[in-house]
Amino acid sequence: MSGLTIAGRELTSRLLLGTGGLPSLALLEPVLAAADPGLVTVSVRRTSSTREGGLLSVLRRHGVPLLPNTAGCLTAREAVLTAELAREALETDWVKLEVIGDETSLLPDAVGLLDAADQLVRRGFTVLPYTTDDPVLARRLSDVGCAAVMPLGSPIGSGLGVLNPHAIEAVRAAVAVPVVLDAGVGTASDAALAMELGCDAVLAATAVTRADDPVAMARALRLAVEAGHAARGAGRIPRRAVARASSPTAGRI
Amino acid sequence: MRLIVNGAATDVVGPTVADLLATCLNDARPHGIAVAVNGEVVCRSDWPRWALAEADTVEIVTAVQGG
C-alpha cells in the first residue's frame, strides 16, 4: 500500500496511469505490470460492437481500480451525462472530471468545471477534477466536495513538465484533499519534481504510452514517483547562493 | 421505428432498449455498456422494459483507452 487514501480508498500506488495513446492493446498488460498504478483512467465513447470489451477484460484481470474520465467534454452538461454513463457502464462512481475550454489548448474551463463538479458531488460521485494550477480554483473545487484536485503541470500531452512549480506548491498549501499532478509529465524527473513539491500522486498517460519504450517508461515513472515522495518526506536542504564546504576546514595542510 | 442511434438514423423493429441492443450489438444484456435515451441514462435493469419512441436519440457507449 502507498499510504495514499482518496475518498476512503487506500491506493496501492501513487502513480496513476492513463491508457490513451498506447499503440497496441497488447502493450497494456506489460505496462500495467511495470507501472503498478493505483488507478487507471479510461474514456467513454460511442460503440457499435462489444469488441472493445478487450480493454475492460485486461483491466479487470489486472484488478486495478478504474477511473473513467470525461475527456472531450466542452460543457458541464456533457460532462455530467458522460460521468453518469461511465457510472452505469463501469459500476464505479469515481470520475476524473474534465471540462475543457477548447480543443486546441485542452485547458480546463474553470466555470464549467466548478459547475459540473458541484452537480456530480450532489449526485453521489467521487469527483477528481482536472484543473489549472490555480490555488483559488482548487480551493473552490475542494469546497464543493471534490475528493482530490488534479492540477496540470503543463498542457495535456505536451511533455513540458511542471512549468510553474510555485503554483503547484500553492495548490498543495490551499487544500486539505489529495493533490494529483495531472498532465504535462514528459519523463521521470517531471514526476519526481511534482512529488518533491508536495503532490500526493502523479497521473501520467502520454509520457508512458507514446514513449519509445512504454514498458520501460512505466517502470521509470513508478520509481520516480516513489523517489520524489521519499525525498519530500526526507526534507531537502535549503538552496544557497554560495558554496558551503562539506569537508572540515580545520586541519588542512 | 426510426431512431437516432449514436448520431445516425437507424430503423429498428423491437420496442425496447434491450431489443435495440440485440439489433446493434447482437447482445440484449452486454457488459461494460451504458445507454442514454434523450440525454437520460437508462439503467441496465430497465433495458428490457424501457419503451423507445419514434425519433428518440439514443447513445450507446463503452470504455475505450483514454486519459
Side-chain angles (χ1 to χ4, degrees):
Chain A
M1 285 291 158
S2 64
L4 172 60
T5 299
I6 299 179
R9 172 194 281 171
E10 187 175 5
L11 304 186
T12 57
S13 163
R14 291 174 183 269
L15 175 61
L16 317 183
L17 189 69
T19 54
L22 265 184
S24 116
L25 190 58
L27 273 170
L28 184 56
E29 277 199 277
V31 162
L32 288 172
D36 190 24
L39 289 168
V40 164
T41 68
V42 293
S43 295
V44 173
R45 290 292 181 267
R46 288 171 168 173
T47 183
S48 56
S49 78
T50 52
R51 279 196 299 276
E52 287 97 326
L55 171 66
L56 285 180
S57 315
V58 173
L59 294 172
R60 294 228 156 97
R61 194 158 55 236
H62 190 270
V64 63
L66 299 184
L67 179 62
N69 69 26
T70 63
C73 291
L74 289 159
T75 65
R77 193 182 61 79
E78 285 172 12
V80 169
L81 177 58
T82 301
E84 297 220 320
L85 284 164
R87 174 157 70 177
E88 178 68 18
L90 302 172
E91 296 166 9
T92 175
D93 56 16
W94 284 46
V95 62
K96 176 188 166 184
L97 177 61
E98 296 183 42
V99 181
I100 57 170
D102 63 70
E103 289 173 9
T104 306
S105 71
L106 299 179
L107 288 171
D109 176 327
V111 175
L113 182 67
L114 189 60
D115 177 14
D118 188 31
Q119 290 188 50
L120 287 169
V121 168
R122 288 172 197 273
R123 293 177 191 210
F125 283 85
T126 296
V127 181
L128 290 76
Y130 162 64
T131 180
T132 44
D133 56 357
D134 172 354
V136 178
L137 180 57
R139 193 182 311 119
R140 294 289 298 270
L141 289 162
S142 171
D143 286 348
V144 299
C146 290
V149 292
M150 307 213 293
L152 56 84
S154 51
I156 291 173
S158 70
L160 290 172
V162 180
L163 286 180
N164 190 343
H166 304 292
I168 297 298
E169 284 182 315
V171 168
R172 168 67 289 168
V175 296
V177 294
V179 175
V180 181
L181 194 286
D182 183 12
V185 169
T187 188
S189 53
D190 301 330
L193 173 61
M195 297 304 289
E196 289 169 21
L197 293 170
C199 291
D200 298 282
V202 167
L203 196 161
T206 310
V208 171
T209 61
R210 298 205 165 113
D212 287 345
D213 184 341
V215 176
M217 186 58 84
R219 176 171 179 275
L221 290 192
R222 175 171 60 78
L223 296 172
V225 165
E226 230 173 84
H229 180 62
R232 170 74 178 188
R236 61 154 298 146
I237 58 165
R239 289 181 171 84
R240 294 163 55 91
V242 293
R244 180 184 182 188
S246 55
S247 304
T249 50
R252 286 182 293 184
I253 57 168
Chain B
M1 175 166 58
R2 176 156 283 201
L3 310 173
I4 305 297
V5 179
N6 286 348
T10 307
D11 291 310
V12 296
V13 180
T16 69
V17 168
D19 294 326
L20 174 65
L21 293 171
T23 303
C24 294
L25 305 179
N26 296 315
D27 187 347
R29 293 188 64 78
H31 288 287
I33 296 283
V35 177
V37 177
N38 300 328
E40 296 288 332
V41 174
V42 178
C43 297
R44 169 175 293 267
S45 56
D46 289 337
W47 290 351
R49 55 177 177 270
W50 187 282
L52 295 162
E54 181 74 24
D56 273 354
T57 298
V58 183
E59 300 289 344
I60 304 172
V61 301
T62 192
V64 300
Q65 288 174 240

